[in-house]
Amino acid sequence: MTTTSQEELFRFLEDRFACAQACTECARACATRAGLVDPDGSENQELVRRKGIMCAEVCDATCRMLSEQNQVDEATIRIQVEWCRQVCLESARAFDGYSGAEGTAEACRTCARACTEFLATLN
């Protein structure tokens, strides 16, 4: 293995780990935020709750996929990570308008950035 190949492999693994870690943190933040919202609240509260639940589930699934050593093909990884990125961005926008959810919105954006960086290593 050449030095360039080793460097690419290390970058791939580091970005994969960073993405999985960001997904875990985002899932935790979104699940917590969703749990704080009144399920019988306003339409906006219901949207925030649903976005939080969906984001937590997608981030959790993405983290598991990235963390496991199973042989998942690159196309499947790319689709899952892109889906996670999109859900995180949508959730961040929903959290932006909700008082007290600034930290959750930032966790979503951090995860989206990590997903973007990991997708770049797949190109």
Side-chain angles (χ1 to χ4, degrees):
M1 182 179 280
T2 66
T3 302
T4 302
S5 296
Q6 287 177 337
E7 288 172 3
E8 290 171 350
L9 176 61
F10 290 141
R11 169 120 192 262
F12 171 81
L13 293 173
E14 286 174 348
D15 287 350
R16 184 174 176 148
F17 177 76
C19 187
Q21 186 174 8
C23 287
T24 297
E25 291 168 13
C26 185
R28 186 177 305 119
C30 287
T32 300
R33 176 57 46 199
L36 295 173
V37 177
D38 180 7
D40 297 322
S42 69
E43 186 176 319
N44 187 45
Q45 287 176 323
E46 178 59 21
L47 173 69
V48 168
R49 192 173 77 73
R50 282 187 285 119
K51 290 287 186 183
I53 291 168
M54 177 176 232
C55 193
E57 289 176 355
V58 171
C59 285
D60 184 56
T62 303
C63 177
R64 280 195 320 270
M65 175 186 276
L66 294 173
S67 299
E68 295 172 356
Q69 295 299 328
N70 59 2
Q71 299 296 339
V72 178
D73 63 276
E74 184 178 318
T76 302
I77 292 172
R78 185 181 301 279
I79 290 167
Q80 180 70 37
V81 173
E82 178 59 33
W83 183 34
C84 184
R85 189 181 78 77
Q86 288 296 325
V87 168
C88 284
L89 291 173
E90 289 174 17
S91 297
R93 285 190 289 274
F95 294 136
D96 282 340
Y98 195 76
S99 178
E102 297 84 4
T104 306
E106 184 54 35
C108 290
R109 286 190 177 84
T110 298
C111 186
R113 279 191 300 275
C115 288
T116 300
E117 290 169 9
F118 178 64
L119 286 168
T121 64
L122 297 176
N123 292 332

